[in-house]
Amino acid sequence: MINLTIDNQQVVVEPGTSILEAAQKVGAKIPTLCYYKDLNIIGACRICVVEVQGARTLIPACVAPVAEGMVVKTATPEVIKVRKLILELILSDHPQECLTCARNQNCELQKLAEEFGIKEIRFAGAKTEYPIDDSSPAIIRDPRKCVLCRRCISVCTNVQTVQALCAENRGFNTLIAPAFNEKLADMECVQCGQCSLVCPTGAIVERDDTAKVWAALADPEKHVVVQTAPATRVQLGEALGAEPGSIFTGQMVAGLRRLGFDKVFDTDFTADLTILEEGNELLQRVTTGGTLPMITSCSPGWIKFCEHFYPDLLDHLSTCKSPQQMFGPLVKTYYAEKEDIDPADIYCVSIMPCTAKKYECQRPEMNSSGYQDVDVVLTTRELGRMFKQAGLDASNLPDEEYDEPLGISTGAGEIFGASGGVMEAALRTVYEVVTGETLENIDFEVCRGLTGVKEATVQVGDLPVKVAITNGLGNARKVLDKIRAGEADYHFIEVMCCPGGCIGGGGSPIPTDTDIRLKRITATYTEDERMSLRKSHENPAIIALYEEFLGKPLGHKSHELLHTKYTSRGVNK
Amino acid sequence: MVACASNASNDELIKQLDKIIDPYRGNPGGLIQVLTKAQNLVGYLPKWVQIQIAEGLGVSLQEVYGVITFYTFFSLIPRGRHKISVCAGTACYVKGTKMVTTTIKDLLDLKPGQTTPDSRFTLEIVRCIGACGLAPAMIIDGKDVHGRLEPELIPAVLEQYA
Ligand code: SF4
Ligand code: SF4
Ligand code: SF4
Ligand code: FES
Ligand code: FES
């Protein structure tokens, strides 16, 4: 162990600890900007400098390891003067647009300016003028607000292994962007939005589609329905100021009704439907010698990743559309017929923890109802914004229930939001369908948690089913490379694009870090346990849907509405 | 260097570039060596060269491009015989960087980041070149400083470089 003194207090820490982490132990909060725990520790911005006795210069605390006998002062007048100077230099090349910025009041740079009491921008230097990239349906990049911290590069390169961004040029002219300043819509970016989650400022944000939704709600001709993704109920609270892990299911439903949606439905319903379609697809592949392992297809960022980087493995993808895209066509066919509404008048809104869903709903093949199946997707962050605009105080809203029939769901649908949830939900159903027996313990703990690659073998009748579960695209790569090498003998693989699954998706409330992801996961399984039904095949609304409309899983109608094809895209095209 | 590019057909260049890449195939560690040799071969590093290198070494185009733009030694555009670097430091900016670039554009039909079709000049914009007293200033071929520029003085300056 290492002994040192920080601000006149003795601290004992493990070797290799940074000064920044050691200081946290004695309650000294050193400001940071480029630093991001476990992700980006590069010492670029120097806002975290401290005084170390005997050192000739000030030392950046985020990268400097502690040493035996070190004497550190974290807040001398000199230190504060230098930090303030650094901040002023950053601000001199930053647009002063806080009032109209998506990150207003949730921006690390703005917060630093407030903490340091910046009253004026002293340096009127030249400003870099790089154009905004609004080519993507999912995220918008505004390099003028970029502080060059490189967190986005770290997450895109090291966590997602997409590497859509790089630092171009040097010094003042540095630009964080794709090579040749290519547009995000025209290259391998999978639209996952993980960069928007870690960006300290408004330099990468979700595309704000709230205006479209307000317009639809104001249109008396439109029948506006909404579906809410599994993860949104364990996220919305945070967007409105509640503690991470808060569950806001009933309040979210109530709030959506107050906003004026004609029907409040649930993506959990089509998550249950996905299990029936996908479970049967798996059984069919196993019994008829189809392509195995089969890989889940719920996550549009993952689909785009596979299309770019592993086009040779596209046959492994389940042909099932994602729950969001199963919902859209059902609303505009099944529900429209049932309620006798012209599908042309139905406006279908999704609330998703995901930016890639914005991209997914615009894919040309997502028109199987004869209309664009899902008209617009809002992230959890945008829904939070709508609640605020409408003055809805969620904590004072009553608990309300989803509308029938597309709002009826089970715990299996709910856990789709967490890594391992699709697999667990599938196992609950496949086991009972194949064996005809009731599962004694439906909690498949091996599927749960944040581990990057989880593996298990589950005995289903006389078949030992080998499964793998990955979250974060870098982890997916490990398993995909095994398939390519012919070394993977799994039957079924769940891949979720974002770390932790959808509860950590790119449209989640900010901040989203490992601790917060874990709290949302716990909340997800709490919701699951609260449900009276916890197996997809027991969902009465799904049973009725098959009886009244679809016929049987993988039947003709299902193929037409609920299954899809993929496109080989490649890289550098 | 550039002569080489104009002599060889594109197919021939692709083959020669493959030979340069071969010893490093699948090895991202060879990036700088390959880029240096590729630039010697082609004269500069256009997009198709970068893509061939990225795919050969098994790295992303972003990685290749980031390295190229970090080192001033590497060039994204064909280089002219003379390099004009117009200063856009604060002093020059205030005194007329815009005037200098517009005048050059009018005279040579040349914008920053471009080379004239006859390969005579390449134009770039740079930060303070340390001649603030002479603002607005430019430096040609990295050594000749021309200061206190005015629109009517610029043609005579350019005349000196064939
Ligand atoms: S990024 Fe932050 S500091 Fe910059 S305009 Fe937006 S809120 Fe203000
Ligand atoms: S959206 Fe995802 S893939 Fe695209 S740049 Fe951001 S992190 Fe990379
Ligand atoms: S875009 Fe955001 S995350 Fe990326 S370098 Fe700029 S400020 Fe940092
Ligand atoms: S936070 Fe330490 S250098 Fe940026
Ligand atoms: S600003 Fe142009 S030489 Fe200094």
Side-chain angles (χ1 to χ4, degrees):
Chain A
M1 297 301 270
I2 307 271
N3 299 280
L4 71 160
T5 310
I6 300 179
D7 296 343
N8 299 320
Q9 299 179 75
Q10 302 296 320
V11 205
V12 185
V13 292
E14 301 268 346
T17 308
S18 68
I19 297 178
L20 179 74
E21 292 162 318
Q24 281 160 0
K25 295 210 157 174
V26 295
K29 192 178 146 285
I30 298 170
T32 55
L33 187 58
C34 67
Y35 169 85
Y36 198 94
K37 190 165 179 259
D38 302 330
L39 177 73
N40 198 51
I41 307 172
I42 59 172
C45 75
R46 312 250 145 186
I47 197 98
C48 64
V49 286
V50 294
E51 201 177 284
V52 174
Q53 205 173 74
R56 274 177 295 120
T57 55
L58 298 180
I59 306 285
C62 69
V63 281
V66 294
E68 186 61 34
M70 205 179 226
V71 179
V72 179
K73 291 222 161 65
T74 69
T76 65
E78 170 69 8
V79 161
I80 288 168
K81 201 171 117 197
V82 170
R83 286 180 190 158
K84 199 166 173 183
L85 179 69
I86 291 169
L87 187 56
E88 288 182 297
L89 286 170
I90 295 171
L91 291 172
S92 75
D93 185 20
H94 192 89
Q96 290 163 44
E97 295 174 4
C98 298
L99 281 178
T100 52
C101 182
R103 293 294 295 274
N104 192 13
Q105 306 223 30
N106 188 11
C107 168
E108 294 178 41
L109 182 62
Q110 190 187 45
K111 186 150 178 289
L112 285 171
E114 188 262 330
E115 286 172 358
F116 279 86
I118 303 288
K119 293 277 185 292
E120 56 167 343
I121 310 294
R122 280 200 294 154
F123 306 102
K127 293 218 195 275
T128 43
E129 280 299 339
Y130 288 115
I132 293 173
D133 177 3
D134 62 356
S135 62
S136 153
I139 53 171
I140 311 254
R141 225 172 36 77
D142 183 350
R144 300 170 314 138
K145 294 180 185 167
C146 174
V147 297
L148 308 179
C149 71
R150 297 169 195 232
R151 291 177 183 179
C152 54
I153 299 183
S154 290
V155 82
C156 190
T157 303
N158 304 330
V159 178
Q160 298 299 56
T161 61
V162 172
Q163 213 173 357
L165 301 168
C166 62
E168 312 178 4
N169 312 320
R170 288 178 303 168
F172 177 78
N173 288 314
T174 308
L175 169 66
I176 309 294
F180 296 95
N181 207 2
E182 181 64 89
K183 299 214 175 308
L184 284 172
D186 300 337
M187 44 102 60
E188 295 89 83
C189 165
V190 303
Q191 320 281 334
C192 69
Q194 286 299 312
C195 48
S196 74
L197 273 190
V198 298
C199 182
T201 71
I204 307 184
V205 297
E206 70 285 352
R207 176 182 286 278
D208 187 326
D209 287 312
T210 53
K212 288 187 194 160
V213 177
W214 283 121
L217 289 169
D219 184 345
E221 302 296 310
K222 288 231 161 16
H223 181 78
V224 189
V225 303
V226 62
Q227 57 167 323
T228 62
T232 52
R233 66 214 72 200
V234 299
Q235 292 190 330
L236 180 66
E238 285 170 52
L240 300 169
E243 284 302 306
S246 307
I247 301 172
F248 268 56
T249 316
Q251 292 97 317
M252 177 163 74
V253 173
L256 288 165
R257 283 211 182 94
R258 305 286 183 285
L259 290 175
F261 287 97
D262 294 299
K263 290 286 171 180
V264 182
F265 291 141
D266 202 353
T267 318
D268 287 17
F269 167 81
T270 33
D272 281 334
L273 181 61
T274 303
I275 288 303
L276 290 212
E277 291 290 327
E278 196 161 285
N280 279 291
E281 185 186 358
L282 177 65
L283 293 175
Q284 193 182 58
R285 288 191 190 211
V286 170
T287 50
T288 64
T291 307
L292 290 175
M294 185 177 90
I295 313 178
T296 57
S297 53
C298 306
S299 169
W302 146 240
I303 296 296
K304 193 161 187 280
F305 181 82
C306 192
E307 291 176 327
H308 283 297
F309 298 101
Y310 294 86
D312 48 317
L313 301 185
L314 288 175
D315 285 345
H316 289 266
L317 291 179
S318 160
T319 59
C320 287
K321 288 181 184 169
S322 70
Q324 152 167 296
Q325 294 301 148
M326 288 198 182
F327 183 90
L330 283 181
V331 150
K332 294 190 180 180
T333 56
Y334 172 61
Y335 170 76
E337 282 169 29
K338 225 173 144 71
E339 300 292 314
D340 196 19
I341 304 171
D342 182 353
D345 293 335
I346 298 181
Y347 194 79
C348 178
V349 179
S350 306
I351 313 297
M352 295 282 142
C354 179
T355 51
K357 292 273 170 197
K358 288 175 181 275
Y359 154 80
E360 182 187 40
C361 83
Q362 298 187 5
R363 287 179 65 124
E365 60 274 22
M366 298 301 172
N367 289 293
S368 41
S369 61
Y371 303 89
Q372 182 170 325
D373 296 322
V374 171
D375 291 285
V376 68
V377 175
L378 300 183
T379 59
T380 312
R381 297 200 284 273
E382 291 161 272
L383 182 62
R385 214 169 282 149
M386 283 186 77
F387 269 55
K388 286 186 189 166
Q389 287 168 356
L392 288 172
D393 176 5
S395 50
N396 280 324
L397 287 170
D399 254 332
E400 291 185 9
E401 297 287 335
Y402 283 97
D403 287 310
E404 296 183 4
L406 308 190
I408 297 175
S409 66
T410 72
E414 175 52 25
I415 59 177
F416 262 59
S419 167
V422 176
M423 182 61 71
E424 181 168 346
L427 289 172
R428 289 180 190 175
T429 286
V430 168
Y431 182 91
E432 296 202 349
V433 169
V434 169
T435 63
E437 294 164 17
T438 306
L439 258 180
E440 279 183 19
N441 178 9
I442 65 165
D443 294 325
F444 289 86
E445 297 284 347
V446 284
C447 295
R448 302 180 182 181
L450 283 179
T451 310
V453 181
K454 293 168 272 191
E455 292 174 311
T457 305
V458 180
Q459 196 66 35
V460 177
D462 21 291
L463 181 70
V465 176
K466 287 198 71 176
V467 304
I469 297 158
T470 73
N471 66 96
L473 292 172
N475 293 314
R477 231 179 234 283
K478 293 178 193 159
V479 172
L480 295 167
D481 287 341
K482 268 196 183 174
I483 301 179
R484 256 188 191 164
E487 292 162 6
D489 59 349
Y490 310 108
H491 296 94
F492 192 26
I493 301 172
E494 176 202 292
V495 173
M496 289 195 192
C497 170
C498 291
C502 313
I503 51 88
S508 306
I510 297 171
T512 290
D513 58 22
T514 305
D515 292 344
I516 293 175
R517 285 185 163 95
L518 284 169
K519 288 185 179 146
R520 294 181 193 151
I521 288 173
T522 306
T524 299
Y525 292 105
T526 306
E527 271 293 86
D528 170 29
E529 277 167 28
R530 198 185 61 90
M531 309 286 277
S532 48
L533 294 174
R534 297 179 62 197
K535 298 167 200 160
S536 299
H537 56 286
E538 292 178 353
N539 182 335
I542 296 287
I543 296 170
L545 171 68
Y546 278 112
E547 277 171 6
E548 294 169 17
F549 186 70
L550 288 175
K552 58 178 197 318
L554 308 183
H556 176 68
K557 269 240 162 68
S558 292
H559 269 291
E560 203 176 290
L561 298 175
L562 310 179
H563 291 258
T564 188
K565 292 195 293 289
Y566 306 105
T567 308
S568 168
R569 297 181 198 275
V571 293
N572 303 327
K573 289 288 182 302
Chain B
M1 293 197 298
V2 179
C4 185
S6 52
N7 288 340
S9 78
N10 215 38
D11 282 356
E12 187 52 32
L13 275 181
I14 292 175
K15 271 193 213 138
Q16 292 184 20
L17 185 54
D18 261 332
K19 281 213 190 86
I20 292 176
I21 295 170
D22 274 334
Y24 303 95
R25 214 159 272 285
N27 170 15
L31 184 56
I32 301 267
Q33 291 97 310
V34 171
L35 287 175
T36 311
K37 289 183 187 162
Q39 177 155 298
N40 285 339
L41 173 72
V42 185
Y44 67 110
L45 297 165
K47 192 169 180 180
W48 71 265
V49 170
Q50 296 188 32
I51 291 177
Q52 198 178 331
I53 293 175
E55 288 173 359
L57 268 56
V59 298
S60 75
L61 183 60
Q62 275 57 246
E63 173 126 19
V64 174
Y65 186 80
V67 168
I68 291 173
T69 58
F70 185 83
Y71 295 104
T72 44
F73 170 75
F74 295 123
S75 179
L76 291 170
I77 52 167
R79 285 186 182 161
R81 294 188 293 283
H82 304 288
K83 182 167 76 179
I84 309 173
S85 312
V86 176
C87 177
T90 309
C92 291
Y93 192 84
V94 171
K95 291 225 166 152
T97 301
K98 270 241 162 63
M99 174 276 289
V100 178
T101 50
T102 329
T103 310
I104 292 177
K105 181 168 181 286
D106 291 346
L107 290 169
L108 300 171
D109 193 18
L110 181 61
K111 285 195 223 146
Q114 290 182 344
T115 296
T116 51
D118 62 0
S119 296
R120 183 167 158 220
F121 287 113
T122 299
L123 178 63
E124 64 172 24
I125 304 292
V126 294
R127 307 310 301 171
C128 178
I129 55 175
C132 306
L134 301 177
M138 64 184 183
I139 188 162
I140 297 189
D141 292 342
K143 53 184 176 21
D144 311 342
V145 176
H146 301 276
R148 302 214 174 87
L149 293 167
E150 286 169 37
E152 32 313 333
L153 298 179
I154 293 177
V157 172
L158 297 178
E159 282 295 300
Q160 303 167 30
Y161 301 89

